[in-house]
Amino acid sequence: MSRYHGEQVLVVPRAAFEEAGYFQGHREGGEHYLNAFMKPGVASFMDREAAENDPSHKQIIAYAIFCHRGRILHYTRGGSGGEARLHDKGSIGIGGHINPVDRQSGHDDVSTYLAGVEREIREELVIDGSCTQRVLGVINDDTNDVGAVHLGIVHLFELDTDRVRANEAALANLRFVSPEELSGEMFEKLETWSQLALELFKGRKV
């Protein structure tokens, strides 16, 4: 039996990524990529077991950063998380795959993606208060097995409170940390995507 229990995840052909503008690392203009991927006939759902071993497709991942008064939410990926290759890494990204349950209509469009973002956050965090959010950019890392089959859409959530709790055991040591701390000794312990997302955060237009 598949270790993903038949989960279906949203993917786009690598060719669609290349057509929208291939890059390695991070890039602003997340809306451009999101709109390109969610055009009719581009994105589709694929069995995750197959997608994890198919670099001809990119799994679209919502990767949300949470900020309160300039400090960024940080956690350590615990052993009960779904991606064994990232265990014990530091992270500033909350989110995950988009699934068929997120469909908002008979076809897959941006509303499907955004519904997936909201669901993933509800599953992983409990946030007291309200927030604003925007898309910061996109991250891609084809230098390792995890990155080769994933593409991250980075969102920034500005919170009006620091009262945030983990809703999953896989999110350990949850706390807000300054960008300076993250860029210092903590940087090497961050997963690669968090390193890239941190650079997007520091270069953002306020």
Side-chain angles (χ1 to χ4, degrees), residues 10-86:
L10 189 71
V11 302
V12 297
R14 179 176 286 270
F17 175 36
E18 293 172 349
E19 182 177 343
Y22 177 85
F23 66 92
Q24 167 68 26
H26 60 81
R27 181 171 290 183
E28 296 180 353
E31 292 90 350
H32 161 73
Y33 287 91
L34 189 55
N35 289 332
F37 297 154
M38 300 311 295
K39 288 189 300 188
V42 178
S44 62
F45 286 98
M46 176 186 290
D47 180 79
R48 184 173 174 184
E49 181 79 14
E52 290 290 343
N53 297 285
D54 181 7
S56 72
H57 286 80
K58 284 282 193 178
Q59 299 169 58
I60 301 301
I61 304 295
Y63 200 77
I65 301 172
F66 293 83
C67 179
H68 175 65
R69 295 184 177 177
R71 294 165 65 84
I72 300 170
L73 194 65
H74 172 275
Y75 67 95
T76 303
R77 289 190 181 272
S80 62
E83 182 48 81
R85 293 169 289 189
L86 298 178

Side-chain angles (χ1 to χ4, degrees), residues 7-8 15 21 44-45 47 59 64 96 103 115 131 151 158 180 193:
E7 180 184 4
Q8 299 284 309
S44 62
F45 286 98
D47 180 79
Q59 299 169 58
R103 282 190 171 125
C131 62
L151 189 71
E158 299 271 5
E180 291 74 23
W193 270 24

Side-chain angles (χ1 to χ4, degrees), residues 4-204:
Y4 299 111
H5 308 288
E7 180 184 4
Q8 299 284 309
V9 296
L10 189 71
V11 302
V12 297
R14 179 176 286 270
F17 175 36
E18 293 172 349
E19 182 177 343
Y22 177 85
F23 66 92
Q24 167 68 26
H26 60 81
R27 181 171 290 183
E28 296 180 353
E31 292 90 350
H32 161 73
Y33 287 91
L34 189 55
N35 289 332
F37 297 154
M38 300 311 295
K39 288 189 300 188
V42 178
S44 62
F45 286 98
M46 176 186 290
D47 180 79
R48 184 173 174 184
E49 181 79 14
E52 290 290 343
N53 297 285
D54 181 7
S56 72
H57 286 80
K58 284 282 193 178
Q59 299 169 58
I60 301 301
I61 304 295
Y63 200 77
I65 301 172
F66 293 83
C67 179
H68 175 65
R69 295 184 177 177
R71 294 165 65 84
I72 300 170
L73 194 65
H74 172 275
Y75 67 95
T76 303
R77 289 190 181 272
S80 62
E83 182 48 81
R85 293 169 289 189
L86 298 178
H87 290 168
D88 297 324
K89 289 283 192 179
S91 180
I92 61 172
I94 296 289
H97 295 86
I98 310 303
N99 304 123
V101 69
D102 302 314
R103 282 190 171 125
Q104 298 298 293
S105 60
H107 57 279
D108 303 315
D109 54 18
V110 172
S111 65
T112 293
Y113 169 80
L114 293 175
V117 175
E118 293 181 6
R119 174 185 52 77
E120 284 286 348
I121 292 170
R122 286 196 307 270
E123 290 175 356
E124 298 191 30
L125 293 178
V126 177
I127 302 172
D128 296 334
S130 60
C131 62
T132 61
Q133 76 101 358
R134 57 184 165 124
V135 177
L136 275 188
V138 185
I139 48 181
N140 179 60
D141 180 20
D142 282 332
T143 66
N144 61 75
D145 291 342
V146 180
V149 293
H150 295 87
L151 189 71
I153 310 294
V154 181
H155 298 252
L156 175 62
F157 285 76
E158 299 271 5
L159 307 179
D160 66 358
T161 178
D162 61 358
R163 296 191 300 276
V164 179
R165 306 186 303 281
N167 211 22
E168 292 186 353
L171 278 61
N173 307 314
L174 200 69
R175 64 190 180 99
F176 284 91
V177 180
S178 71
E180 291 74 23
E181 289 177 89
L182 290 169
S183 299
E185 292 184 1
M186 298 180 70
F187 190 79
E188 293 303 318
K189 296 180 181 180
L190 292 175
E191 64 190 28
T192 304
W193 270 24
S194 285
Q195 293 177 345
L196 296 172
L198 180 60
E199 296 304 313
L200 269 176
F201 176 84
K202 292 193 297 185
R204 75 196 187 285

